[in-house]
Amino acid sequence: MAKKKRQGHYCRICGEYKANEKFSGKGHAQHICKACMSKKKKGVEIDPDIPVVDEYYDDELFGDMGYDMFNPDIDIIPRIEPEHKKYKKLCKEEKAALKVLWGDIVTEYWQEVRQIPFGESFNILRKRLIGIFTEQGELDITDDHDLKVVLNDCMVSTINKLLRSEKDRK
């Protein structure tokens, strides 16, 4: 009889098979779901044998090398590339976080320059957003047409809200 193949990934902490969306970029490789990862970061006692993920990727400890060449007991720690996704493939929480961050960037730009970002300034802000999201969310968003359309719509609504709030203050 053939072995039944399960979909998703196995979390080695909670011992469950979960959907791919329940794992972050680092979680896929380490087989730790987002829920267990957040418990570890909050300090909830899970299993003392499993190290906290941030210790593996702390650049102050390992620098750019990814390992300590002076200590042969430490194995090479693989660098995990951020997961590449199109805007359409993001989950609801990731889309919401992206829109909130974009609203903050547009608000900051509007308060500094007092202009609507268009052309090159829009491209610079979009690349800044993708860079921040990649660093903080361990997710590399593909810079495609769908993303541009969503960011443009979000930018217009953000600036309209800013203008309405200025009008109400007067």
Side-chain angles (χ1 to χ4, degrees):
M1 184 171 203
K3 190 175 180 182
K4 183 179 177 185
K5 184 172 177 165
R6 296 180 184 253
Q7 291 183 332
H9 288 276
Y10 176 77
C11 176
R12 67 181 184 154
I13 294 181
C14 62
E16 297 177 18
Y17 283 92
K18 295 186 177 183
N20 290 335
E21 293 83 22
K22 300 292 181 183
F23 290 82
S24 68
K26 290 179 184 177
H28 278 290
Q30 296 176 342
H31 303 286
I32 301 173
C33 67
K34 289 179 183 176
C36 293
M37 190 83 72
S38 67
K39 288 178 187 175
K40 289 178 78 171
K41 287 185 178 182
K42 289 179 184 174
V44 175
E45 190 66 34
I46 297 173
D47 186 1
D49 296 334
I50 301 174
V52 176
V53 175
D54 290 344
E55 292 175 2
Y56 277 108
Y57 296 94
D58 191 0
D59 286 335
E60 292 178 16
L61 292 174
F62 300 111
D64 292 331
M65 294 185 293
Y67 66 98
D68 185 357
M69 63 186 209
F70 299 109
N71 188 349
D73 296 333
I74 297 176
D75 293 330
I76 294 176
I77 298 167
R79 295 275 184 203
I80 298 175
E81 291 297 317
E83 185 178 1
H84 298 284
K85 278 189 181 179
K86 292 185 176 188
Y87 179 78
K88 283 185 173 182
K89 299 291 182 180
L90 297 176
C91 69
K92 187 169 54 172
E93 293 84 14
E94 291 168 335
K95 287 180 180 179
L98 185 80
K99 288 178 182 179
V100 168
L101 185 57
W102 179 245
D104 293 344
I105 290 172
V106 169
T107 301
E108 179 184 314
Y109 182 83
W110 175 261
Q111 290 171 347
E112 287 177 11
V113 181
R114 192 78 177 159
Q115 290 181 349
I116 297 172
F118 182 76
E120 187 62 30
S121 59
F122 180 81
N123 292 338
I124 291 169
L125 293 177
R126 189 179 71 244
K127 288 176 184 174
R128 180 174 154 207
L129 169 78
I130 292 171
I132 291 171
F133 204 79
T134 301
E135 290 172 11
Q136 306 233 338
E138 294 124 19
L139 186 66
D140 188 17
I141 301 170
T142 306
D143 192 3
D144 60 356
H145 179 72
D146 293 328
L147 178 66
K148 291 176 188 175
V149 169
V150 169
L151 295 182
N152 193 31
D153 292 346
C154 186
M155 174 188 65
V156 170
S157 64
T158 301
I159 291 176
N160 283 338
K161 287 177 189 174
L162 290 169
L163 289 172
R164 266 188 252 122
S165 68
E166 289 175 5
K167 181 181 174 185
D168 292 341
R169 277 190 248 143
K170 289 180 179 182

